[in-house]
Amino acid sequence: MMKASKRLSPLGAVGIALGLAGAFVGHAANAQDFAITGVTVATGDGSEPVENGAVLVRGGRVVYAGPASGMPATGGATAVDGQGAWVTPGIVAAVTTLGLLDVGGVGESNDSSARNSPFSAALDVAPIVNPNSQHILVHRAAGVTRAATTTSPSASIFGGQGAIIDLGADPDAVMRPRAFQMVALGEQGGRIAGGSRAAAHVLFRNALREAMRLGEDAQIPGRSSDRPETDLGDDVPIDPRLSGEYAERAGDVLLTRFDASALVPVVRGEQMLLVAVERASDIRSVLALKQEFPRLDMVLVGASEGWLVAQDIAAAGVPVIADGLDDLPQNFEELAATQSNIGRLAAAGVTVAINASAMENPRNLNQFAGNLVALSRVPGASGLSWGQALATITSVPARILGLEGRAGALTQGAAGDLVMWDGDPLEVGSTPTRVFIDGVEQPLENHQSKLKERYRDLDRGDLPKGYVW
Amino acid sequence: MKRFAMLACAAAMAVSGCSTADGGSGTASASDARGAALGADGRVPYASTYQRYPGRPTALVGATVFDGRGGRIENGTVLFRDGEVVAVGDASLSTDGYDRIDGAGKFVTPGVIDIHSHLGDYPTPSVEAHSDGNEATSPMTPEVWAEHSVWPQDPGFTRALANGGVTALQILPGSANLTGGRSVTLKNVSARTVQGMKFPGAPYGMKMACGENPKRVYGGKGRMPSTRMGNFAVNRQMWLDAQAYDGEKRDLGKETLKGVLDGEILIHNHCYRADEMALVIDMAKEMGYKVTAFHHAVEAYKIGDLLRENDICSAIWADWYGFKMESYDGILENAALLQKAGACVVIHSDDANGIQRLNQEAAKAQAAGLRLGMDIPDADVIGWFTYNAAKAMGIGEMTGSLEAGKMADVVLWNGDPLSVYSRPEKVWIDGALMYDAMDRTRRPVSDFELGQPGEGDVK
C-alpha cells in the first residue's frame, strides 16, 4: 500500500504536512499539480538523461517525464520554470538505519541494534522510526526520498523486520512495515551464532523449520510442498529428524516462539529476506538454500565477492544490494573486493543496486554512483553508463524492494518523488534545490543548515551567536 | 557490508594517531633527525632508507596544471628529471631532452597528501591481530612511535596510490590516548620495510587527542581521565613534568615531549569541538608549545578567526557528522567558512577508503561554499589536499606543490580532479612512474594479495 497522507505545501514554500497516521488518504486531496519545464530529465530507469525535458505531476503521481515535446496538456497544473536544473526521481536508499538513531555513538539515542534483547527476528522497526530524526532531515535535503531501514543482526543472526519509509516532513514515515527480514550468514553471522559459519547455517535452518512447523500448526497455508529429498552427495544420509517437516523440535531454545512466528512469512516467501553475505563460497551456499526452502524471496546484501559468482547469482535470479566502492580486503571474506564488483554483476545480468550501509552517509549514494561511471573510463575496470548508475540508486533498489512502478523512477503512475538538482546529480557537489515526495514539496531546513546560517560570519554582534536563529 | 549502520564511523569512534621520519635519500644524517636522539652507534634510529626509483626526464604538455599553491595554467608544461621538478610553465617551455606526454584534455596536480592516515597501523584485513594503532594502556604514551606498528604490506597503500593519487601520507597513532605517540610520514612507495617508505627529512609529529575518546577509554577502565576536566589535568601535569626533563637519563616519552617543547616535533591534535580547541590553544600557550593542526575539527568553522590568529590548520572531512556526540555539529560548509576566515584548510581521510577520494571530498566542500556565495577557485581547493597538507606536516618545502627544485611528486588525472568522473592516470613519486592506469605492470600488489582472488585486479 502506498502511503499517501501528505498535505500540500505550496510550491516554493515550506510547509509541514499533517499526515493522518495509519489512514489512507488519496493523493489528490493533498498534492499539488505541477508541470516543470526547462530541465534536464533523468527518469532513473537506466536511460540516459534528456535535455530540454519536462515533468508533469498530478494528484501526487507522475503523469509524464521526458522530452518537452511529448508533454501532455498540463491543464491547471502550476507551471514551474526549471531554469536549466536537473530532475531525477528521489533517491531510494537501501539499506539504512535512517530514523533509528540520533547519534551513532550515543547508545541512549541509538535503536539500530538490540544486542541484549531475547528477541531477534521479531524485532520490528515500524513503531520506532522517528521522522524528526536529523538524519532523516539531512538526507531529505540530499535528495533521498525513500529508504529501507532496519535494525541489524546483533543478538542473533536475524536482525529483525525492516520497513520501507519515506523521508517526508510528516509524522507518517512508514510506507510499508515489515517489508523484509534481515539475516547475516557470512563472517558476522558465524560470529554471532557461536563462532563458525557452520553454527549460523544450522541456526538459520533450524529457525526456518521452526517457522515452517509453526505455520503448519497454525494451519497457515503456504508451506512448500513436494520438495525433493535432500541429498548431501556423500555416503551418510541426512537424518530425517534434521531435515524437512520431520525435524524434531527438541532443543529449539535458540528461537523464541515470537521470533519463529516472525519468520513464518519468510519461509512462505511473503516477506523478503535480506541476506548479508560477502564471500563467494558463502554466496553459493546461500543460493543453495533455495533448494531446501524454495519459497525464500532472497536478496543478497554486501556481496563484495559477488563478481566471482556473478553467473550463479544471475542464474538464480537473486538481486543484490552490493557494496559500491569497497576495494580492500577488509576481512577474509572480502579478499576479492573491487570497485568493479557492481559493473561486473550488472554485465552478468544481475539486478544490482548500491548498498547504502557500506558508506559513511547514505547521502553519498549519488557520489558512489558517479564513481561507477568514472570506472567505465579506466582500462580493465568495469563501470556503468550514467543512466545505469543513476538506476542503481533509484529504480533498481525500488524494484528490489518491491516498489517497481511506485517509486524510484519517473514513470507514469509512480509516486511524485522528484528532486531538482543544481547540476549533474551524480557529480560531487551537486545539491538538491527542491525535493518532492508524493508530489508534496518538502522543507530542506535542518540542524546543519541552521548552523551554517548562524556561523556564516563570525562578526561580533549586539548579542551572542546564541541569539541568532 | 562492513559498517551496516548509518554513520557508524567506527574508525573515528575508536581512535586515530601520529609520528615522523628522518634521514636523507638513503643516507640519513644527524641533522635530519629532528626530535630523535641518536643511537649507541651514533646514528639516527630507524632512519629512512627510502631511495627514489629511476625515472625518465618527462615533460607533461597540454594539460591544465594546478601547482598546488593557487596557480592554474591552461595548456601548461611540467618538466621533471632526476627526481625533481625542473620547470612549470606554459606551452612555450622547451621540452628538448624530455619524454613528452600529451596531457591534452587532462589535468596535472602535485601528488595528493593525506595528513591523517592509519594505513599500516590499522591495515586490512582489519582483524584483531592487525590492530596496532592504539597503545591503549595509558592515557599518555608519548614514548610510542607509529612507525613501529606499520605493516608495509597493507593493501591500502596501493589503493591510495591507484585511486587517490596519494604520494605521501602521515601515519598517526590512534586517539584512545591523550598523548598517543609519534607519527611517521611516508612516501607511498611499496617497500619491504617501513624504513624503506619513510619520507626523508620529514619532521616527527606527535598525536594528541581531546574530548570523548580518552575519557571514554580510561573512564571505562575506572581510571583517570574520565571527564574532560580530567583530560586537561592529566595533560597539564604531563607538560609540567616534561618541562623539568634535563635529558641526562634517556626517557623515551620525555624525549618526544621535549622535542615538542623545542618546536622540533609538530602537534597533531584530534579535537572536534570549537570550545575544546580554544581550551587546547590556551593550554599550549600555558605550557609553551604550539598546535600545528587540529584533526577532525568538525566545529572549526565556529572559531575560524581564532585558528587564523594562532596559525593552526584544520584537518577535516567534507561531510562526516553525527556519528558521535562531538561530531553532531559537523556541516558541509566547514572548509569554506575556514577559508573565508583566512584559516588553513586541509582535507584528510582517517579512512582506508576515504584516502582514495580526497579530491572528491574537497570538491564537495568547495560546492558547499559556492552555495554560501563563496566562489573558491579550483586552484585553491587543490591546495587543500596537496600543499596545505604538506605544510602542516612540515614537508612543504620539499613537496606538495609543483615548483622548480621540489620533489617530482606528480599526478596526471584523466579529467578534472574535482570531478567524480576523474581518476589518476599516472602517478610519479620523485620522478619515478609508480602507477599507470594504462599499464598493469605499473601497479603494486602487496605480498598479502599474492595468490588471492582478485590479485592484480584494477580494484
Side-chain angles (χ1 to χ4, degrees), chain A residues 95 97-98 101-106 112 134-135 138-139 150-153 182 188 276 278 301-302 304-305 307-308 323 325-332 334-339 344 355 357-364 367-368 370-371 373-375 377-381 386 422 424 426-431 447-448 451-453 455-458, chain B residues 1-10 13 119 123-127 154-157 159 163 301-306 318-333 337 340-341 351-353 356-357 359-361 363-364 367-368 371-373 414 418-424 435 437-438 443 448-449 452-454 457-459:
Chain A
V95 183
T97 53
L98 286 170
L101 59 90
D102 292 303
V103 181
V106 175
S112 66
Q134 282 297 327
H135 298 311
V138 165
H139 283 77
T150 179
T151 46
S152 53
M182 182 93 205
Q188 182 195 11
E278 303 284 359
V301 179
S304 291
E305 293 194 346
W307 65 277
L308 290 174
D323 295 357
L325 297 178
D326 289 353
D327 61 358
L328 288 163
Q330 182 71 26
N331 45 53
F332 279 88
E334 296 181 83
L335 294 179
T338 168
Q339 298 186 19
R344 292 172 185 170
N355 180 15
S357 66
M359 58 191 69
E360 293 300 335
N361 292 300
R363 69 175 170 188
N364 288 330
Q367 180 188 359
F368 276 51
N371 273 280
V373 178
L375 281 183
R377 300 172 188 177
V378 177
W386 193 96
D422 59 8
D424 174 352
L426 301 189
E427 184 61 277
V428 277
S430 293
T431 294
H447 180 65
Q448 294 189 344
L451 279 167
K452 171 190 68 178
E453 290 305 323
Y455 289 98
R456 185 182 274 275
D457 66 61
L458 299 175
Chain B
M1 203 184 69
K2 58 197 63 65
R3 297 192 182 95
F4 196 84
M6 181 188 133
L7 309 167
C9 197
M13 285 292 303
L119 290 179
T124 54
S126 59
V127 292
D154 182 355
F157 289 118
R159 309 298 192 273
N163 294 322
Y301 65 93
K302 298 182 182 179
I303 51 165
D305 47 358
L306 191 61
D319 60 5
W320 287 22
Y321 82 102
F323 46 89
K324 61 198 299 190
M325 200 61 228
E326 61 194 5
S327 72
Y328 196 66
D329 281 4
I331 64 174
L332 264 162
E333 291 78 7
L337 288 169
K340 179 182 178 187
D351 183 84
N353 290 294
Q356 303 175 43
R357 289 179 281 281
N359 55 317
Q360 295 178 23
E361 300 307 298
K364 281 191 281 190
R371 292 191 294 275
L372 269 182
N414 67 2
L418 297 177
S419 167
V420 75
Y421 301 124
S422 303
R423 292 288 171 115
Y435 172 73
M438 320 305 279
R443 186 181 304 146
F448 177 76
E449 296 185 280
Q452 307 276 25
D457 200 351
V458 174
K459 296 292 183 184

Side-chain angles (χ1 to χ4, degrees), chain A residues 224-239:
Chain A
S224 59
S225 58
D226 300 320
R227 283 175 295 101
E229 194 171 322
T230 305
D231 179 6
L232 296 183
D234 57 27
D235 293 332
V236 182
I238 194 165
D239 187 309

Side-chain angles (χ1 to χ4, degrees), chain A residues 293-305:
Chain A
F293 304 101
R295 298 200 178 192
L296 288 182
D297 180 13
M298 293 195 301
V299 175
L300 305 181
V301 179
S304 291
E305 293 194 346

Side-chain angles (χ1 to χ4, degrees), chain A residues 83-343:
Chain A
Q83 299 181 316
W86 288 61
V87 174
T88 67
I91 290 171
V92 178
V95 183
T96 77
T97 53
L98 286 170
L100 304 187
L101 59 90
D102 292 303
V103 181
V106 175
E108 299 93 321
S109 84
N110 188 339
D111 293 320
S112 66
S113 66
R115 186 171 304 281
N116 299 317
S117 168
F119 299 107
S120 56
L123 299 174
D124 179 359
V125 301
I128 67 167
V129 172
N130 173 20
N132 294 329
S133 158
Q134 282 297 327
H135 298 311
I136 284 191
L137 272 59
V138 165
H139 283 77
R140 177 197 305 150
V144 178
T145 56
R146 302 202 186 248
T149 197
T150 179
T151 46
S152 53
S154 53
S156 155
I157 61 172
F158 294 103
Q161 303 173 88
I164 297 169
I165 64 170
D166 71 57
L167 277 68
D170 64 77
D172 194 9
V174 177
M175 173 191 184
R176 180 180 289 169
R178 297 171 295 283
F180 56 92
Q181 176 66 245
M182 182 93 205
V183 67
L185 281 182
E187 210 171 278
Q188 182 195 11
R191 268 199 311 275
I192 294 171
S196 164
R197 286 171 170 83
H201 273 267
V202 175
L203 183 62
F204 179 79
R205 293 164 71 231
N206 172 70
L208 261 57
R209 292 227 181 76
E210 284 295 299
M212 204 184 289
R213 172 60 61 86
L214 196 61
E216 290 165 10
D217 288 350
Q219 298 190 323
I220 301 170
R223 76 180 172 89
S224 59
S225 58
D226 300 320
R227 283 175 295 101
E229 194 171 322
T230 305
D231 179 6
L232 296 183
D234 57 27
D235 293 332
V236 182
I238 194 165
D239 187 309
R241 287 171 297 181
L242 284 171
S243 170
E245 57 217 82
Y246 305 108
E248 298 262 333
R249 291 204 50 216
D252 62 351
V253 293
L254 292 172
L255 198 70
T256 69
R257 203 158 180 84
F258 213 50
D259 290 320
S261 304
L263 290 171
V264 170
V266 172
V267 281
R268 290 167 56 181
E270 293 171 356
Q271 187 184 57
M272 205 183 320
L273 180 66
L274 269 50
V275 186
V277 67
E278 303 284 359
R279 197 169 74 184
S281 63
D282 288 335
I283 293 171
R284 286 199 181 96
S285 296
V286 167
L287 297 178
L289 288 168
K290 292 263 280 187
Q291 294 170 16
E292 192 172 350
F293 304 101
R295 298 200 178 192
L296 288 182
D297 180 13
M298 293 195 301
V299 175
L300 305 181
V301 179
S304 291
E305 293 194 346
W307 65 277
L308 290 174
V309 285
Q311 300 296 340
D312 298 311
I313 300 171
V318 172
V320 181
I321 300 172
D323 295 357
L325 297 178
D326 289 353
D327 61 358
L328 288 163
Q330 182 71 26
N331 45 53
F332 279 88
E333 63 181 359
E334 296 181 83
L335 294 179
T338 168
Q339 298 186 19
S340 294
N341 188 35
I342 286 179

Side-chain angles (χ1 to χ4, degrees), chain B residues 409-431:
Chain B
D409 299 336
V410 185
V411 183
L412 175 67
W413 303 79
N414 67 2
D416 182 348
L418 297 177
S419 167
V420 75
Y421 301 124
S422 303
R423 292 288 171 115
E425 186 170 300
K426 291 179 168 61
V427 183
W428 291 266
I429 300 179
D430 285 309

